[in-house]
């Protein structure tokens, strides 16, 4: 049951990815010289579990492939590609707690050079609200195949709290947004 919840949660992240709640960050190895790279391959290490369904995993992979091709790279086999691209999905449950306090009563009064006390009547009410959500992330690692070092990483993160529509459009758009800062082929 927990696996099903996480699977749908990451799918929801991907569906909402084009909305205002998707936060995208990236980091690049400053010593990396991207001019020599021409080919790429998707790399999913054995044993790497994904909280998304196979359909959504295929949508993620196709979105990454489309983004790399749009940047001028050619898809190749994992044994010959210059770059290995590994999309990783993560989902975890989170919660926001909000407290609101309302005060009622009769306060004191102020006159020049004098402060008068209140009438001794005061009341306050504190209410707490707990909102649960799924925090979903897609991390895309781009690795130099020969040297096995990380060259670039893009992360898309969102709080997921509602139903989503049209995964065939929104998932590839999310992958494009996450990979926007990846250097184009020179």
């Amino acid at each position: 049951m927990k696996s099903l919840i996480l699977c749908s949660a990451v799918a929801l992240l991907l569906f909402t990815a084009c909305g205002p709640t998707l936060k995208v960050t990236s980091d690049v190895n400053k010593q990396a010289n991207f001019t020599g790279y021409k080919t790429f391959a998707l790399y999913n290490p054995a044993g790497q579990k994904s909280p998304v369904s196979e359909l959504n995993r295929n949508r993620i992979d196709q979105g990454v492939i489309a983004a790399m091709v749009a940047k001028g790279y050619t898809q190749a086999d994992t044994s010959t590609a210059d770059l290995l691209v590994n999309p990783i999905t993560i989902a975890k449950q989170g919660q926001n707690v909000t407290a609101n306090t309302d005060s009622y009563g009769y306060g004191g009064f102020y006159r020049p050079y004098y402060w008068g006390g209140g009438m001794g009547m005061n009341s306050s009410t504190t209410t707490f609200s707990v909102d649960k959500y799924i925090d979903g992330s897609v991390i895309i690692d781009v690795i130099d195949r020969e040297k096995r070092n990380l060259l670039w990483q893009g992360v898309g993160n969102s709080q997921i709290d509602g139903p989503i529509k049209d995964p065939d459009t929104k998932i590839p758009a999310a992958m494009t947004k996450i990979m926007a800062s990846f250097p184009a082929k020179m």
Side-chain angles (χ1 to χ4, degrees), residues 99-110:
N100 294 315
T101 303
D102 297 323
S103 293
Y104 304 98
Y106 299 98
F109 60 90
Y110 174 76

Side-chain angles (χ1 to χ4, degrees), residues 165-178:
K165 297 178 184 176
D166 195 15
D168 291 325
T169 302
K170 293 192 177 181
I171 291 176
M175 297 307 102
T176 299
K177 188 173 181 180
I178 293 169

Side-chain angles (χ1 to χ4, degrees), residues 4-181:
L4 180 61
I5 291 171
L6 289 177
C7 183
S8 61
V10 172
L12 288 175
L13 159 74
L14 298 172
F15 299 142
T16 58
C18 295
T21 60
L22 180 69
K23 296 175 190 138
V24 175
T25 58
S26 64
D27 195 10
V28 65
N29 181 338
K30 301 294 184 205
Q31 283 85 36
N33 180 3
F34 288 89
T35 57
Y37 299 115
K38 296 178 181 153
T39 60
F40 76 96
L42 287 183
Y43 176 68
N44 296 311
Q48 178 176 299
K49 287 189 168 191
S50 177
V52 299
S53 70
E54 185 178 346
L55 289 172
N56 287 331
R57 183 68 199 187
N58 290 336
R59 290 177 179 120
I60 292 169
D61 290 349
Q62 292 307 310
V64 169
I65 290 168
M68 290 295 288
V69 169
K71 299 248 180 209
Y73 295 91
T74 304
Q75 189 172 7
D77 185 68
T78 56
S79 62
T80 61
D82 300 325
L83 301 171
L84 298 176
V85 183
N86 182 17
I88 305 162
T89 54
I90 300 171
K92 63 181 180 175
Q93 189 166 11
Q95 65 183 16
N96 289 327
V97 179
T98 307
N100 294 315
T101 303
D102 297 323
S103 293
Y104 304 98
Y106 299 98
F109 60 90
Y110 174 76
R111 292 200 174 172
Y113 310 110
Y114 177 74
W115 169 258
M119 298 177 75
M121 193 171 175
N122 194 6
S123 173
S124 68
T125 303
T126 302
T127 58
F128 293 94
S129 172
V130 178
D131 297 319
K132 292 185 178 184
Y133 63 89
I134 300 296
D135 185 47
S137 298
V138 175
I139 302 167
I140 301 173
D141 291 336
V142 179
I143 302 159
D144 180 304
R145 184 186 59 81
E146 282 187 17
K147 297 177 185 173
R148 295 289 184 185
N149 62 336
L150 182 64
L151 301 175
W152 182 89
Q153 184 177 69
V155 179
N157 180 270
S158 181
Q159 288 184 8
I160 305 159
D161 57 6
I164 312 305
K165 297 178 184 176
D166 195 15
D168 291 325
T169 302
K170 293 192 177 181
I171 291 176
M175 297 307 102
T176 299
K177 188 173 181 180
I178 293 169
M179 297 199 64
S181 71

